Amino acid sequence: MSFSRRKFLTMAGATAAGVSMVAPLEAFYARVAQGRELEFAGGFKYGPLRPRLPQNTAALANTVVGDLRNIPLLELPRGFRYTAFSITGQTMSDGTLVPGDHDGMAAFPGPRGTTILVRNHELSPGEDEFGNLKGVDAPPEKRYAPNATGGTTTLVVDRRRRLVKDFASLSGTVRNCAGGPTPWGSWISCEETFSTTPDNNGNLIYHGYNFEVPAGTNTGLVTPVALTDMGRFSHEAVAVDPRTGYVYETEDSGDSCFYRFVPNVKGQLAQGGSLYALKIKQYPDGVNTSNNPNLGGQEGLIPVGREYRVEWVKIDNPNPIPEENSNDQQVRAQGQAKGAAVFFRGEGAWYGNGVIYFIATQGGPPAVDDARGNGQVWEYNPAKETLTLLVEAPPSGEFLDEPDNITVAPFGDLILCEDGGGEQFVVGVDLDGLLYKFARNLIDNTEFAGACFSPDGSTLFVNSQGLGVTYAIWGPWTSPDGEGGEGGEGGEGDNDGEGDED
């Protein structure tokens, strides 16, 4: 039977934090074999979502959209709280303004129990986000390109989830969408573009690269270095295998590949290396994995839960410059000429429990209101050299609508950020492969992005891109009934917000 048509999603393999999936999966597939459809009642694990006011309401009196002190920004389950900070247009510690279009992000341990966040800003040249045309502002010597406004900012958050410091850390790049943390304490910021911008003399500066930003409380602005050997293409996200130092990369394109970068020196990406694309051995001439005939695939061709053996094909020219050499091919075309697999819009990626999870945000069978699908979640196992389709959203989009960024919770669940139409949710996938809605964006229904957990596991940080705001969410993670559990210290005040009476 075809799993893609059922009203549930499945998940195979293992999750993060050493959680074994064997027993849950055996029970799960036994129920599938009996033809039983499984889902949480109402699609919730921690209980229904209710409007909540942030704990730091006093800090939200003056924003680019007005006074937010009495406006619930999120819906969350009972027992969960949040703070909201670093909103577009607010003044940062370095005197510049918070740029807009908050996107990918990662959390790192800081001194005295603080958390350091490095955050992307998906800004195109000339983009006006609430009047802030400068984007990630920096002096000329610290910009990669003088007329590009994307980049990263760095935030320092204390144990009470209060912002204590923020500053620009990478400037002069374009559409910094996602990226990923490294085991050596840095953030790889990815340009989601294959474009050029002019310098002040009219010469072209090429974009479509990765940039490394160290995570620290006093790094200031880095000197941007394009990591050209990691490929020039429309980058989305990366995930690093700490054992090997290999970097796995996704590409946001309708005919994208999934890549592996092997550095010449582990942990020294600027020293160069070799780029490869994933190939499924069963399909030596290549395969479209979308399971969608409208996207060049075949419905049900790649079943959920089946492992495929893979190998890697070399990308001979990782830095194509067709603007100068018309014979230069895009890296995905080079890979696919050697049989590399095709994914429909590769987006988020994350490392956990020895595997790499990554997203094909519009893969899957045709949605009821779109020729494209509602999303897929994949697992690549570097130890076994296998690829498995873990999650495929149903056509209805009821349970999952175009996942984008992904992270792995300390308790094993996958946490997905939606970037579809209509209402936008943070969606979890539990150990039985069942979905639940954890948070809803109330302020503007724009995409969630940058989900990541604090080093101690108590706080989920996530961005909302429309207004441009970062949230710190905490509560009874280990207690699905919404009671008890370790939530860590609270934020300012003790405001449970509206709709908290259950």
Side-chain angles (χ1 to χ4, degrees):
M1 71 183 177
S2 174
F3 287 174
S4 65
R5 287 294 185 184
R6 302 187 65 85
K7 282 192 171 181
F8 60 85
L9 288 85
T10 59
M11 180 171 158
T15 60
V19 179
S20 172
M21 288 288 291
V22 176
L25 271 180
E26 287 178 350
F28 174 68
Y29 283 116
R31 291 191 290 266
V32 169
Q34 296 168 12
R36 295 169 55 189
E37 297 186 1
L38 307 174
E39 61 188 67
F40 282 112
F44 304 107
K45 175 178 180 177
Y46 294 97
L49 307 185
R50 303 288 183 88
R52 309 290 183 194
L53 289 172
Q55 296 293 293
N56 61 330
T57 54
L60 305 178
N62 297 299
T63 75
V64 291
V65 294
D67 188 346
L68 296 178
R69 286 177 295 180
N70 297 308
I71 298 177
L73 308 181
L74 296 177
E75 282 186 349
L76 293 171
R78 182 180 180 183
F80 284 88
R81 301 176 180 181
Y82 69 100
T83 55
F85 48 83
S86 194
I87 297 174
T88 301
Q90 293 180 326
T91 301
M92 296 196 293
S93 304
D94 62 3
T96 65
L97 300 181
V98 176
D101 281 7
H102 301 19
D103 211 292
M105 186 169 65
F108 304 85
R112 297 177 295 280
T114 59
T115 297
I116 300 169
L117 299 172
V118 186
R119 180 183 63 194
N120 274 0
H121 296 273
E122 191 184 11
L123 293 165
S124 299
E127 187 173 345
D128 183 352
E129 288 298 325
F130 302 100
N132 183 1
L133 287 167
K134 292 184 177 180
V136 184
D137 201 6
E141 66 274 13
K142 289 293 186 179
R143 288 181 173 272
Y144 173 69
N147 297 301
T149 56
T152 67
T153 52
T154 297
L155 294 69
V156 182
V157 181
D158 69 14
R159 294 177 179 176
R160 292 176 61 83
R161 290 94 175 179
R162 298 173 300 187
L163 179 67
V164 297
K165 185 178 185 179
D166 52 352
F167 54 89
S169 46
L170 172 70
S171 181
T173 50
V174 173
R175 292 187 57 82
N176 299 70
C177 195
T182 72
W184 48 89
S186 64
W187 166 254
I188 306 301
S189 184
C190 299
E191 289 187 307
E192 186 196 357
T193 187
F194 189 91
S195 64
T196 62
T197 58
D199 67 14
N200 293 328
N201 296 314
N203 301 309
L204 294 182
I205 297 176
Y206 303 113
H207 296 274
Y209 299 113
N210 292 339
F211 297 80
E212 188 165 16
V213 181
T217 58
N218 297 297
T219 61
L221 283 155
V222 302
T223 299
V225 176
L227 302 172
T228 56
D229 278 6
M230 294 186 74
R232 184 187 179 209
F233 55 88
S234 185
H235 287 274
E236 182 69 30
V238 305
V240 183
D241 182 347
R243 183 181 64 87
T244 60
Y246 295 174
V247 184
Y248 296 88
E249 311 180 60
T250 58
E251 177 182 22
D252 194 348
S253 171
D255 57 346
S256 69
C257 291
F258 180 62
Y259 301 96
R260 176 165 74 185
F261 175 69
V262 179
N264 292 330
V265 181
K266 182 179 179 181
Q268 301 291 325
L269 304 182
Q271 298 299 313
S274 299
L275 186 66
Y276 301 84
L278 179 141
K279 177 179 179 178
I280 298 176
K281 288 186 175 182
Q282 184 173 326
Y283 298 98
D285 296 325
V287 62
N288 183 305
T289 66
S290 67
N291 284 341
N292 188 322
N294 300 320
L295 307 177
Q298 177 184 330
E299 191 165 343
L301 178 66
I302 308 294
V304 172
R306 179 181 296 177
E307 284 189 343
Y308 290 89
R309 300 288 298 174
V310 302
E311 58 186 347
W312 297 86
V313 296
K314 180 80 178 295
I315 302 298
D316 297 315
N317 178 17
N319 186 26
I321 310 291
E323 296 88 347
E324 297 180 7
N325 183 358
S326 60
N327 292 323
D328 279 7
Q329 287 187 309
Q330 296 270 2
V331 293
R332 62 183 179 274
Q334 297 178 52
Q336 290 160 20
K338 297 181 179 182
V342 174
F343 300 88
F344 193 79
R345 294 195 59 205
E347 295 220 61
W350 203 264
Y351 172 86
N353 196 39
V355 301
I356 307 293
Y357 301 100
F358 67 96
I359 302 290
T361 195
Q362 290 179 318
V368 294
D369 57 353
D370 196 334
R372 297 168 295 186
N374 286 322
Q376 298 170 318
V377 182
W378 296 84
E379 177 204 280
Y380 162 68
N381 188 320
K384 297 170 63 178
E385 285 292 344
T386 57
L387 179 73
T388 306
L389 176 59
L390 297 185
V391 171
E392 187 163 83
S396 68
E398 179 182 358
F399 302 107
L400 186 64
D401 184 11
E402 298 184 17
D404 188 334
N405 289 179
I406 181 173
T407 193
V408 182
F411 45 90
D413 292 7
L414 301 184
I415 304 297
L416 311 176
C417 295
E418 286 191 331
D419 183 16
E423 297 179 338
Q424 301 292 286
F425 292 91
V426 173
V427 177
V429 186
D430 83 345
L431 300 184
D432 287 320
L434 307 181
L435 265 73
Y436 59 92
K437 296 178 180 180
F438 173 74
R440 179 189 167 202
N441 181 358
L442 286 180
I443 187 64
D444 54 20
N445 267 340
T446 57
E447 69 176 280
F448 282 108
C452 56
F453 279 84
S454 59
D456 67 2
S458 67
T459 305
L460 171 66
F461 295 99
V462 68
N463 298 318
S464 173
Q465 187 171 102
L467 172 58
V469 56
T470 295
Y471 299 108
I473 304 170
W474 70 98
W477 297 110
T478 57
S479 301
D481 59 0
E483 300 288 350
E486 296 182 3
E489 298 181 56
E492 298 176 15
D494 191 28
N495 179 26
D496 286 335
E498 298 181 7
D500 207 32
E501 296 81 17
D502 291 336

mmCIF file of all heavy atoms in Angstrom, residues 441-465:
data_model
loop_
_atom_site.group_PDB
_atom_site.id
_atom_site.type_symbol
_atom_site.label_atom_id
_atom_site.label_comp_id
_atom_site.label_asym_id
_atom_site.label_seq_id
_atom_site.Cartn_x
_atom_site.Cartn_y
_atom_site.Cartn_z
ATOM 1 N N ASN A 441 2.135 31.011 15.065
ATOM 2 C CA ASN A 441 2.505 32.413 14.923
ATOM 3 C C ASN A 441 1.237 33.262 14.859
ATOM 4 O O ASN A 441 0.489 33.203 13.886
ATOM 5 C CB ASN A 441 3.347 32.605 13.657
ATOM 6 C CG ASN A 441 3.798 34.037 13.454
ATOM 7 O OD1 ASN A 441 3.468 34.921 14.230
ATOM 8 N ND2 ASN A 441 4.573 34.264 12.408
ATOM 9 N N LEU A 442 0.987 34.071 15.882
ATOM 10 C CA LEU A 442 -0.208 34.902 15.933
ATOM 11 C C LEU A 442 0.008 36.305 15.382
ATOM 12 O O LEU A 442 -0.942 36.962 14.968
ATOM 13 C CB LEU A 442 -0.706 35.034 17.382
ATOM 14 C CG LEU A 442 -1.396 33.835 18.006
ATOM 15 C CD1 LEU A 442 -1.820 34.158 19.430
ATOM 16 C CD2 LEU A 442 -2.607 33.425 17.188
ATOM 17 N N ILE A 443 1.259 36.783 15.385
ATOM 18 C CA ILE A 443 1.492 38.183 15.080
ATOM 19 C C ILE A 443 1.303 38.498 13.608
ATOM 20 O O ILE A 443 0.778 39.549 13.237
ATOM 21 C CB ILE A 443 2.893 38.636 15.569
ATOM 22 C CG1 ILE A 443 3.080 40.141 15.399
ATOM 23 C CG2 ILE A 443 3.988 37.873 14.881
ATOM 24 C CD1 ILE A 443 2.148 40.975 16.232
ATOM 25 N N ASP A 444 1.699 37.589 12.694
ATOM 26 C CA ASP A 444 1.578 37.920 11.275
ATOM 27 C C ASP A 444 1.481 36.708 10.347
ATOM 28 O O ASP A 444 1.490 36.860 9.124
ATOM 29 C CB ASP A 444 2.757 38.794 10.826
ATOM 30 C CG ASP A 444 4.105 38.181 11.155
ATOM 31 O OD1 ASP A 444 4.163 36.960 11.366
ATOM 32 O OD2 ASP A 444 5.100 38.932 11.220
ATOM 33 N N ASN A 445 1.384 35.494 10.913
ATOM 34 C CA ASN A 445 1.235 34.280 10.097
ATOM 35 C C ASN A 445 2.360 34.090 9.081
ATOM 36 O O ASN A 445 2.140 33.504 8.018
ATOM 37 C CB ASN A 445 -0.113 34.262 9.373
ATOM 38 C CG ASN A 445 -1.177 33.533 10.170
ATOM 39 O OD1 ASN A 445 -0.872 32.748 11.048
ATOM 40 N ND2 ASN A 445 -2.429 33.820 9.880
ATOM 41 N N THR A 446 3.557 34.586 9.379
ATOM 42 C CA THR A 446 4.686 34.333 8.495
ATOM 43 C C THR A 446 5.503 33.160 9.022
ATOM 44 O O THR A 446 5.268 32.660 10.117
ATOM 45 C CB THR A 446 5.572 35.579 8.363
ATOM 46 O OG1 THR A 446 6.018 35.979 9.667
ATOM 47 C CG2 THR A 446 4.817 36.722 7.712
ATOM 48 N N GLU A 447 6.473 32.747 8.236
ATOM 49 C CA GLU A 447 7.196 31.513 8.537
ATOM 50 C C GLU A 447 7.974 31.574 9.844
ATOM 51 O O GLU A 447 8.504 32.606 10.235
ATOM 52 C CB GLU A 447 8.166 31.182 7.404
ATOM 53 C CG GLU A 447 9.341 32.140 7.273
ATOM 54 C CD GLU A 447 10.327 31.718 6.198
ATOM 55 O OE1 GLU A 447 11.143 30.830 6.465
ATOM 56 O OE2 GLU A 447 10.252 32.278 5.091
ATOM 57 N N PHE A 448 8.028 30.427 10.508
ATOM 58 C CA PHE A 448 8.975 30.217 11.598
ATOM 59 C C PHE A 448 10.313 29.798 10.989
ATOM 60 O O PHE A 448 10.364 29.214 9.906
ATOM 61 C CB PHE A 448 8.496 29.110 12.534
ATOM 62 C CG PHE A 448 7.414 29.532 13.497
ATOM 63 C CD1 PHE A 448 6.109 29.102 13.332
ATOM 64 C CD2 PHE A 448 7.709 30.361 14.576
ATOM 65 C CE1 PHE A 448 5.113 29.466 14.226
ATOM 66 C CE2 PHE A 448 6.726 30.732 15.471
ATOM 67 C CZ PHE A 448 5.419 30.294 15.306
ATOM 68 N N ALA A 449 11.398 30.082 11.690
ATOM 69 C CA ALA A 449 12.724 29.726 11.186
ATOM 70 C C ALA A 449 13.703 29.661 12.354
ATOM 71 O O ALA A 449 13.464 30.215 13.424
ATOM 72 C CB ALA A 449 13.213 30.749 10.162
ATOM 73 N N GLY A 450 14.820 28.984 12.113
ATOM 74 C CA GLY A 450 15.931 29.032 13.057
ATOM 75 C C GLY A 450 15.737 28.283 14.349
ATOM 76 O O GLY A 450 16.398 28.593 15.346
ATOM 77 N N ALA A 451 14.867 27.283 14.389
ATOM 78 C CA ALA A 451 14.635 26.557 15.632
ATOM 79 C C ALA A 451 15.925 25.886 16.114
ATOM 80 O O ALA A 451 16.632 25.245 15.327
ATOM 81 C CB ALA A 451 13.550 25.509 15.433
ATOM 82 N N CYS A 452 16.211 26.026 17.393
ATOM 83 C CA CYS A 452 17.387 25.387 18.002
ATOM 84 C C CYS A 452 17.205 25.404 19.510
ATOM 85 O O CYS A 452 16.509 26.264 20.047
ATOM 86 C CB CYS A 452 18.679 26.111 17.611
ATOM 87 S SG CYS A 452 18.711 27.881 18.002
ATOM 88 N N PHE A 453 17.823 24.459 20.194
ATOM 89 C CA PHE A 453 17.720 24.364 21.649
ATOM 90 C C PHE A 453 18.977 24.900 22.313
ATOM 91 O O PHE A 453 20.077 24.782 21.780
ATOM 92 C CB PHE A 453 17.474 22.918 22.080
ATOM 93 C CG PHE A 453 16.037 22.484 21.959
ATOM 94 C CD1 PHE A 453 15.540 22.035 20.752
ATOM 95 C CD2 PHE A 453 15.185 22.560 23.047
ATOM 96 C CE1 PHE A 453 14.217 21.647 20.621
ATOM 97 C CE2 PHE A 453 13.855 22.170 22.939
ATOM 98 C CZ PHE A 453 13.367 21.718 21.717
ATOM 99 N N SER A 454 18.770 25.480 23.484
ATOM 100 C CA SER A 454 19.891 25.959 24.283
ATOM 101 C C SER A 454 20.789 24.785 24.648
ATOM 102 O O SER A 454 20.350 23.629 24.657
ATOM 103 C CB SER A 454 19.396 26.649 25.552
ATOM 104 O OG SER A 454 18.614 25.752 26.337
ATOM 105 N N PRO A 455 22.075 25.039 24.958
ATOM 106 C CA PRO A 455 22.986 23.939 25.287
ATOM 107 C C PRO A 455 22.507 23.057 26.438
ATOM 108 O O PRO A 455 22.787 21.857 26.448
ATOM 109 C CB PRO A 455 24.284 24.670 25.652
ATOM 110 C CG PRO A 455 24.231 25.937 24.851
ATOM 111 C CD PRO A 455 22.784 26.335 24.859
ATOM 112 N N ASP A 456 21.748 23.620 27.398
ATOM 113 C CA ASP A 456 21.257 22.795 28.502
ATOM 114 C C ASP A 456 19.924 22.126 28.177
ATOM 115 O O ASP A 456 19.386 21.370 28.990
ATOM 116 C CB ASP A 456 21.135 23.625 29.786
ATOM 117 C CG ASP A 456 20.047 24.698 29.722
ATOM 118 O OD1 ASP A 456 19.350 24.795 28.692
ATOM 119 O OD2 ASP A 456 19.912 25.452 30.700
ATOM 120 N N GLY A 457 19.385 22.373 26.990
ATOM 121 C CA GLY A 457 18.180 21.700 26.540
ATOM 122 C C GLY A 457 16.878 22.249 27.080
ATOM 123 O O GLY A 457 15.812 21.722 26.760
ATOM 124 N N SER A 458 16.907 23.307 27.877
ATOM 125 C CA SER A 458 15.688 23.790 28.518
ATOM 126 C C SER A 458 14.892 24.764 27.669
ATOM 127 O O SER A 458 13.706 24.975 27.915
ATOM 128 C CB SER A 458 16.031 24.471 29.853
ATOM 129 O OG SER A 458 16.772 25.672 29.635
ATOM 130 N N THR A 459 15.523 25.374 26.669
ATOM 131 C CA THR A 459 14.890 26.467 25.938
ATOM 132 C C THR A 459 14.945 26.218 24.439
ATOM 133 O O THR A 459 15.996 25.890 23.895
ATOM 134 C CB THR A 459 15.595 27.801 26.248
ATOM 135 O OG1 THR A 459 15.610 28.017 27.658
ATOM 136 C CG2 THR A 459 14.893 28.967 25.569
ATOM 137 N N LEU A 460 13.778 26.392 23.795
ATOM 138 C CA LEU A 460 13.718 26.379 22.339
ATOM 139 C C LEU A 460 13.749 27.820 21.861
ATOM 140 O O LEU A 460 12.889 28.629 22.214
ATOM 141 C CB LEU A 460 12.431 25.708 21.865
ATOM 142 C CG LEU A 460 12.131 25.811 20.353
ATOM 143 C CD1 LEU A 460 13.167 25.055 19.542
ATOM 144 C CD2 LEU A 460 10.721 25.312 20.043
ATOM 145 N N PHE A 461 14.742 28.146 21.051
ATOM 146 C CA PHE A 461 14.802 29.447 20.402
ATOM 147 C C PHE A 461 14.271 29.292 18.976
ATOM 148 O O PHE A 461 14.573 28.311 18.288
ATOM 149 C CB PHE A 461 16.238 29.974 20.350
ATOM 150 C CG PHE A 461 16.823 30.259 21.704
ATOM 151 C CD1 PHE A 461 17.667 29.337 22.318
ATOM 152 C CD2 PHE A 461 16.539 31.441 22.375
ATOM 153 C CE1 PHE A 461 18.217 29.590 23.573
ATOM 154 C CE2 PHE A 461 17.081 31.698 23.623
ATOM 155 C CZ PHE A 461 17.918 30.774 24.227
ATOM 156 N N VAL A 462 13.487 30.265 18.530
ATOM 157 C CA VAL A 462 12.944 30.211 17.182
ATOM 158 C C VAL A 462 12.630 31.630 16.725
ATOM 159 O O VAL A 462 12.325 32.504 17.539
ATOM 160 C CB VAL A 462 11.682 29.309 17.124
ATOM 161 C CG1 VAL A 462 10.514 29.927 17.886
ATOM 162 C CG2 VAL A 462 11.290 28.991 15.689
ATOM 163 N N ASN A 463 12.712 31.853 15.425
ATOM 164 C CA ASN A 463 12.442 33.166 14.844
ATOM 165 C C ASN A 463 11.111 33.176 14.106
ATOM 166 O O ASN A 463 10.671 32.154 13.580
ATOM 167 C CB ASN A 463 13.540 33.554 13.846
ATOM 168 C CG ASN A 463 14.893 33.666 14.483
ATOM 169 O OD1 ASN A 463 15.033 34.199 15.576
ATOM 170 N ND2 ASN A 463 15.920 33.153 13.805
ATOM 171 N N SER A 464 10.502 34.355 14.045
ATOM 172 C CA SER A 464 9.390 34.631 13.152
ATOM 173 C C SER A 464 9.890 35.659 12.151
ATOM 174 O O SER A 464 10.376 36.725 12.533
ATOM 175 C CB SER A 464 8.193 35.184 13.927
ATOM 176 O OG SER A 464 7.176 35.605 13.046
ATOM 177 N N GLN A 465 9.789 35.346 10.853
ATOM 178 C CA GLN A 465 10.468 36.178 9.868
ATOM 179 C C GLN A 465 9.734 37.460 9.518
ATOM 180 O O GLN A 465 10.360 38.470 9.222
ATOM 181 C CB GLN A 465 10.732 35.387 8.580
ATOM 182 C CG GLN A 465 11.588 36.158 7.583
ATOM 183 C CD GLN A 465 12.037 35.319 6.411
ATOM 184 O OE1 GLN A 465 11.492 35.418 5.329
ATOM 185 N NE2 GLN A 465 13.046 34.486 6.629
#
